[in-house]
């Protein structure tokens, strides 16, 4: 069979920029040109099964050379590199990430007085990731046999480069000797963007930088009610609620239809007119779900993650409805052990802790020593066994006591650990819903009363905490605790 001829759009040589907006504009031109080429080639390619041709387009990249050491503001947790050298990263969907890219490029250029080069990379765009905007009616049906031949004419996702090596500290130089400029290369970002659409039934462009995670539908219902009230308030900056199925609600009395497909992890996005809204993601139960959700949300480079959920109170003095602010985590979830060993401490972040504590005080009208009557701080244990109570006599109770744990759930440590791993600020505020070690089990009647009286207030505390963090400059919120010895310049 003759060798396949490779068709591709024009390859762009490096062009230097000192203006971040101009650099992002150029990234958009290169990316849009590459994606349009793949989209049109795919639509036109039906019936070419045996033609010796291959269609390929490349991600754009940014590249910079740091010539010497430079003293950078030591208070910053990002915008700096550890040593002189060549640094680069591939970029996808630059328009989606415009604010982030402009911020990061601008900080780097200012710190190092170095121009950013924008060019075509040598990393091919998988055709699946380029088909976001192609109408379903324009796509061919894989059942006709063409689907089996796609890989012969287009590039497919390559798991050899879709990984978390940089995030996990396995930084490697590229073939040309360059070090990574960002935590996620373009194929890894595209992979997670596609997963987010699948799991949440909402488009990734709706995700907001302030993220609430929960494991109960009751919080979704309370969030929708809060959003409707905010939309009805003329003084509110919130302007739209996006629900699964990408339904955009601007009328506070408008109806929300159930999506055609019930998503595994439904997401709800409360947008503001000037950005920085709040996303609520119902991840369901268990550490596996928590890892899955945060693995993918991480590529959006959120400003903060906050877990709101229920927990088992472990101390006799706790009462149902009390709050638990996690200061430390006992990780028995196991899902992250290969990526972040259990001997790695996951620290509390002062800025998040203060915001949550202050929000609890405001909503409960408690302060100072009085606050201890409604909230306790300490270690939260997360396990992977929903029926952990049945094995509590086999050593777990001793571990919980030795760790000084005050609460137990199945998701909080996973979310915090992945926030630490992905360098995203995180926090946890739980609400005690049962006390199994003290004979107070979560039974239907008790649970119904608890949900009715506690969920709305718990959610409001979380929202107020995020709203206070929203006003904090990013260089304050993104703690240096999250950064390792050798870090990428982009947060």
């Amino acid at each position: 069979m003759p060798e396949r001829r490779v068709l591709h759009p024009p390859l762009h040589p490096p062009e230097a920029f000192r203006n971040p907006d101009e650099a992002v504009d150029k990234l958009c031109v290169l990316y849009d040109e590459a994606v349009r080429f793949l989209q049109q080639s795919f639509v036109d390619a039906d019936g070419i099964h045996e033609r010796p041709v291959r269609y390929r387009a490349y991600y754009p990249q940014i590249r910079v050379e740091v010539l010497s050491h430079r003293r950078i503001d030591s208070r910053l947790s990002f915008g700096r590199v550890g040593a002189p050298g060549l640094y680069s990263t591939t970029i996808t969907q630059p328009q989606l990430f415009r604010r982030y890219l402009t911020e990061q490029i601008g900080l780097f250029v200012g710190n190092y007085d170095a121009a950013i080069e924008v060019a075509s990379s040598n990393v091919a765009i998988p055709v699946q990731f380029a088909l976001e905007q192609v109408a379903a009616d324009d796509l061919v049906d894989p059942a006709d046999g063409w689907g089996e031949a796609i890989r012969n004419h287009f590039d497919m996702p390559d798991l050899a480069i879709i990984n978390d090596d940089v995030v996990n500290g396995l930084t490697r130089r590229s073939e040309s000797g360059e070090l990574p400029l960002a935590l996620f290369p373009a194929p890894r970002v595209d992979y997670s963007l596609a997963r987010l659409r699948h799991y949440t039934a909402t488009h990734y462009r709706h995700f907001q930088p302030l993220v609430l995670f929960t494991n109960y539908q009751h919080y979704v219902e309370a969030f929708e009610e809060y959003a409707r009230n905010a939309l009805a308030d003329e003084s509110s900056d919130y302007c739209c609620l996006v629900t699964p199925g990408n339904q955009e609600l601007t009328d506070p009395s408008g109806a929300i239809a159930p999506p055609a497909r019930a998503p595994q992890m439904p997401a709800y996005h409360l947008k503001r007119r000037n950005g920085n809204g709040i996303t609520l993601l119902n991840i369901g139960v268990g550490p596996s779900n928590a890892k899955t959700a945060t693995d993918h949300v991480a590529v959006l480079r959120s400003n903060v993650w906050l877990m709101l959920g229920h927990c088992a109170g472990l101390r006799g003095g706790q009462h149902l409805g009390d709050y638990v602010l996690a200061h430390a985590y006992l990780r028995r979830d196991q899902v992250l052990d290969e990526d972040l060993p259990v001997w790695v401490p996951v620290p509390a972040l002062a800025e998040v802790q203060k915001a949550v504590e202050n929000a609890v005080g405001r909503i409960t009208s408690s302060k100072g020593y009085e606050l201890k009557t409604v909230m306790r701080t300490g270690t939260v244990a997360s396990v992977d066994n929903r029926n952990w109570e049945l094995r509590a006599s086999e050593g777990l109770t001793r571990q919980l006591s030795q760790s000084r744990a005050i609460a137990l759930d199945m998701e909080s440590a996973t979310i915090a650990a992945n926030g630490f791993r992905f360098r995203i600020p995180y926090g946890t505020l739980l609400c005690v819903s049962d006390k199994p070690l003290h004979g107070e089990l979560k039974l239907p009647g008790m649970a119904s009363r608890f949900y009715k009286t506690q969920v709305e207030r718990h959610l409001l505390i979380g929202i107020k905490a995020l709203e206070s963090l929203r006003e904090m400059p990013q260089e304050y919120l993104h703690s240096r605790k999250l950064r390792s010895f050798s870090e990428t310049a982009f947060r």
Side-chain angles (χ1 to χ4, degrees):
M1 184 175 181
E3 183 178 348
R4 294 186 182 276
R5 182 166 56 102
V6 177
L7 301 180
H8 57 78
L11 300 180
H12 294 259
E15 184 176 351
F17 296 91
R18 289 183 179 271
N19 183 298
D21 290 305
E22 293 177 358
V24 177
D25 287 342
K26 183 65 175 181
L27 288 168
C28 290
V29 170
L30 269 61
Y31 177 78
D32 292 345
E33 182 179 77
V35 168
R36 282 197 301 269
F37 172 83
L38 288 176
Q39 290 174 346
Q40 191 59 52
S41 298
F42 188 85
V43 171
D44 294 343
D46 188 17
I48 65 163
H49 300 57
E50 304 304 324
R51 295 181 190 174
V53 63
R54 188 172 190 85
Y55 300 95
R56 174 171 292 160
Y58 299 94
Y59 287 108
Q61 70 170 5
I62 52 179
R63 180 178 178 272
V64 64
E65 184 174 10
V66 176
L67 297 176
S68 62
H69 287 279
R70 176 174 288 225
R71 186 174 180 84
I72 307 297
D73 187 344
S74 62
R75 295 169 298 179
L76 293 174
S77 66
F78 53 92
R80 57 196 300 166
V81 293
L86 292 170
Y87 296 85
S88 69
T89 188
T90 48
I91 300 294
T92 187
Q93 308 230 24
Q95 188 59 45
L96 175 70
F97 292 99
R98 174 175 282 276
R99 179 181 295 184
Y100 165 80
L101 290 170
T102 302
E103 173 193 65
Q104 301 304 304
I105 292 173
L107 185 60
F108 194 92
V109 169
N111 282 341
Y112 290 96
D113 190 27
I116 294 284
E117 290 185 349
V118 176
S120 300
S121 74
N122 61 358
V123 179
I125 302 176
V127 68
Q128 294 96 325
F129 298 155
L131 298 179
E132 289 287 344
Q133 308 304 324
V134 179
D137 292 341
D138 292 332
L139 298 180
V140 295
D141 183 359
D144 65 4
W146 162 229
E148 299 175 2
I150 290 177
R151 66 183 65 252
N152 292 328
H153 300 281
F154 294 92
D155 290 289
M156 309 294 283
D158 181 1
L159 293 182
I161 59 175
I162 300 178
N163 55 57
D164 284 335
D165 283 356
V166 178
V167 166
N168 290 342
L170 303 175
T171 302
R172 298 186 180 93
R173 293 182 183 271
S174 66
E175 294 180 358
S176 56
E178 298 164 4
L179 286 165
L181 191 60
L183 291 171
F184 299 108
R188 170 65 169 84
V189 175
D190 272 336
Y191 166 76
S192 281
L193 294 180
R195 294 289 84 196
L196 283 176
R197 292 190 69 180
H198 172 72
Y199 286 122
T200 71
T202 57
H203 199 283
Y204 44 76
R205 68 171 177 267
H206 295 305
F207 273 77
Q208 301 299 294
L210 307 173
V211 183
L212 288 171
F213 294 102
T214 189
N215 52 5
Y216 281 96
Q217 176 65 23
H218 304 280
Y219 286 84
V220 172
E221 296 164 0
F223 190 72
E224 181 184 329
E225 182 178 356
Y226 178 88
R228 288 182 183 275
N229 291 334
L231 295 178
D233 183 355
E234 295 182 358
S235 65
S236 172
D237 286 334
Y238 294 113
C239 59
C240 179
L241 174 67
V242 179
T243 66
N246 297 308
Q247 301 175 83
E248 299 188 24
L249 183 71
T250 56
D251 179 356
S253 61
I256 298 177
R261 173 185 62 84
Q264 182 177 343
M265 299 178 188
Y268 299 78
H269 315 282
L270 182 56
K271 296 184 174 182
R272 295 176 78 218
R273 292 182 177 85
N274 60 348
N276 286 339
I278 298 173
T279 285
L280 175 75
L281 189 59
N282 182 5
I283 60 176
V285 176
S288 180
N289 278 7
K291 180 181 184 299
T292 297
T294 49
D295 276 351
H296 300 314
V297 175
V299 303
L300 296 172
R301 308 315 296 151
S302 312
N303 289 343
V304 65
W305 291 347
L306 183 60
M307 172 64 188
L308 297 181
H310 299 160
C311 65
L314 300 178
R315 302 303 182 94
Q318 289 172 306
H319 301 90
L320 301 188
D322 283 357
Y323 297 112
V324 171
L325 177 57
H327 272 9
Y329 300 89
L330 175 60
R331 294 172 50 202
R332 287 179 54 97
D333 52 329
Q334 302 188 58
V335 296
L336 276 169
D337 292 1
E338 293 185 10
D339 293 309
L340 192 74
V342 293
W343 49 260
V344 175
V346 178
L349 304 181
E351 295 79 7
V352 180
Q353 300 297 100
K354 290 178 182 177
V356 174
E357 183 172 329
N358 289 339
V360 173
R362 291 199 306 273
I363 300 304
T364 63
S365 299
S366 304
K367 60 182 180 180
Y369 193 63
E370 183 184 2
L371 192 59
K372 292 179 178 290
T373 64
V374 296
M375 185 183 76
R376 185 161 181 167
T377 60
T379 298
V380 169
S382 291
V383 299
D384 60 355
N385 178 8
R386 179 61 188 85
N387 297 315
W388 64 274
E389 301 99 322
L390 303 180
R391 299 179 62 86
S393 60
E394 297 183 18
L396 177 59
T397 302
R398 181 182 178 187
Q399 288 186 17
L400 294 174
S401 179
Q402 287 181 322
S403 69
R404 311 299 194 265
I406 61 173
L408 181 148
D409 78 343
M410 298 185 68
E411 300 86 19
S412 294
T414 309
I415 290 174
N418 242 2
F420 179 84
R421 175 172 164 246
F422 290 125
R423 289 78 162 172
I424 294 174
Y426 52 85
T428 300
L429 181 69
L430 302 176
C431 191
V432 176
S433 60
D434 60 348
K435 295 170 57 182
L437 296 183
H438 305 277
E440 297 186 44
L441 302 178
K442 188 185 297 183
L443 301 175
M446 178 193 305
S448 297
R449 291 192 300 273
F450 170 80
Y451 296 141
K452 183 176 181 179
T453 58
Q454 296 297 331
V455 167
E456 183 177 345
R457 188 169 74 162
H458 191 192
L459 175 69
L460 185 59
I461 291 170
I463 290 174
K464 295 307 178 185
L466 291 186
E467 288 179 338
S468 67
L469 290 168
R470 178 168 60 207
E471 306 305 318
M472 185 177 294
Q474 290 304 297
E475 56 268 28
Y476 290 7
L477 182 56
H478 285 265
S479 172
R480 290 174 294 179
K481 293 179 183 178
L482 302 180
R483 310 291 279 183
S484 63
F485 292 169
S486 179
E487 281 289 335
T488 61
F490 288 10
R491 67 169 176 85

